[in-house]
Amino acid sequence: MAGDKRNKRQKREDYRAALQEEASTELPRKKFYRQRAHANPFSDHHLAYPPSPDHMDWSSLYPDYVAEESQEGEAPPVKASSVADGQEIESAAQKLIKRLTQDVEVADIGCGFGGLLIALAPAMPQTLVLGLEIRVSVTQFVEDRIKALRAQSQEQKLYRNIAVLRANTMKFMPNFFRKGQLSKIFICFPDPHFKTRKHKQRIVSTTLNSEYAYVVRPGGIVYTITDVPDLHGWMVQHFDAHSSFERVSEEEQEADPCVAIMRSETEEGKKVERNSGQKHVALFRRLEDPPFDDEPDKMEQ
């Protein structure tokens, strides 16, 4: 039995190594990237992350969008590849941060095997879209998938606007994105964590919704979809209770082209379709912040 496990592990490693060739156009096969469906977001996953968004070097993820002139940073950057691979932060001696011509604007939290990312690439060709995934093997699959698709479309230069990053958004989302940076967040078929004692691990909560409110600009949209009625009710309840969000009307929701993509292109969505299940969708708009009165109240004389 132990020998079989070692052989399977070796086959996976050999297969992945073969795909690392620069010009490989072969799409990866999921069977070589299988991993447990659930990951504990409170565990120490040995992730490296930037101390602030200004320390993040996105150039390895979006090389076609690197600005001609880089800027000097006051602190060392963290390469995107280092974050994805769980390697240590670069030496403090390196201070050149490669800036992009535009910011990442769309985040797919828990992107899984990348179905939504791949579908959004041609639908939003002028927008940088990032998939965030905590599982190592699944992140590697999406990375290899994007690499192969880019190689297949050298002339058309497709799929240059999407990338994947291994990260724990429950802990470190504000480390990657500035206030109001994002226009859209997708939360597609998240882990329902059915047991009451596990509800604190749900990706939608009072605390996390405040972080979404921080990184999403006013007018931006948070998209949610699940096949679990209880989880759908939970997400609606928590977003409705948050003062920074309002629910988008069903009419506007169904007119949004991203909703159709979200329903049909994710791997979980396709599985629900095969099983004749129901998909529950809810969108929430980021509201304008109330005006801040910085004048102290005057006491009556």
Side-chain angles (χ1 to χ4, degrees), residues 227 268-278:
D227 60 324
E268 284 297 321
K270 292 176 181 178
K271 185 188 300 183
V272 173
E273 194 75 30
R274 290 194 300 269
N275 295 330
S276 301
Q278 286 189 316

Side-chain angles (χ1 to χ4, degrees), residues 24-27 147-156:
S24 175
T25 59
E26 179 186 349
L27 288 172
K147 183 178 178 181
L149 289 170
R150 288 178 178 178
Q152 291 176 6
S153 59
Q154 285 286 352
E155 294 185 4
Q156 300 91 340

Side-chain angles (χ1 to χ4, degrees), residues 38-279:
H38 308 292
N40 184 354
F42 300 132
S43 295
D44 180 8
H45 293 275
H46 304 289
L47 294 168
Y49 57 91
S52 76
D54 288 336
H55 293 76
M56 183 64 189
D57 188 344
W58 298 98
S59 60
S60 62
L61 294 183
Y62 304 98
D64 287 46
Y65 292 84
V66 175
E68 292 185 2
E69 295 184 2
S70 297
Q71 301 179 12
E72 293 292 333
E74 296 181 356
V78 178
K79 282 187 176 179
S81 59
S82 297
V83 178
D85 297 336
Q87 298 170 2
E88 293 186 1
I89 296 176
E90 290 183 20
S91 167
Q94 183 177 358
K95 294 186 177 182
L96 185 64
I97 300 176
K98 295 181 180 179
R99 302 296 185 185
L100 301 183
T101 56
Q102 63 189 80
D103 289 332
V104 174
E105 282 192 41
V106 177
D108 179 11
I109 297 178
C111 68
F113 288 96
L116 181 65
L117 280 178
I118 303 305
L120 288 177
M124 309 177 72
Q126 306 304 320
T127 303
L128 297 188
V129 185
L130 179 69
L132 297 156
E133 175 59 50
I134 196 171
R135 293 169 292 173
V136 180
S137 294
V138 178
T139 303
Q140 187 63 56
F141 173 88
V142 180
E143 187 176 310
D144 291 343
R145 186 178 182 183
I146 293 173
K147 183 178 178 181
L149 289 170
R150 288 178 178 178
Q152 291 176 6
S153 59
Q154 285 286 352
E155 294 185 4
Q156 300 91 340
K157 292 188 176 297
L158 302 177
Y159 303 103
R160 267 57 175 178
N161 63 322
I162 59 172
V164 66
L165 183 66
R166 183 171 179 243
N168 184 347
T169 54
M170 288 186 70
K171 289 184 176 181
F172 306 123
M173 195 166 190
N175 294 78
F176 294 100
F177 305 115
R178 298 190 306 278
K179 178 177 175 61
Q181 178 175 334
L182 302 180
S183 62
K184 299 180 188 293
I185 285 179
F186 290 88
I187 302 174
C188 301
F189 300 98
D191 191 332
H193 293 293
F194 289 109
K195 296 178 180 179
T196 302
R197 64 184 178 85
K198 295 280 191 178
H199 285 180
K200 61 185 178 181
Q201 296 185 24
R202 287 180 169 177
I203 197 63
V204 169
S205 67
T206 302
T207 302
L208 290 173
N209 287 0
S210 293
E211 293 199 2
Y212 302 147
Y214 177 81
V215 299
V216 176
R217 68 190 61 159
I221 302 291
V222 177
Y223 296 73
T224 71
I225 184 171
T226 178
D227 60 324
V228 181
D230 173 69
L231 181 59
H232 172 68
W234 168 281
M235 293 192 290
V236 170
Q237 174 189 345
H238 281 74
F239 273 110
D240 279 347
H242 201 287
S243 60
S244 293
F245 292 98
E246 67 174 4
R247 188 169 180 181
V248 173
S249 69
E250 187 171 350
E251 181 180 6
E252 184 180 347
Q253 170 185 300
E254 296 309 310
D256 190 327
C258 289
V259 171
I261 295 174
M262 180 174 67
R263 277 198 176 110
S264 62
E265 298 301 329
T266 64
E267 281 74 8
E268 284 297 321
K270 292 176 181 178
K271 185 188 300 183
V272 173
E273 194 75 30
R274 290 194 300 269
N275 295 330
S276 301
Q278 286 189 316
K279 304 171 189 177

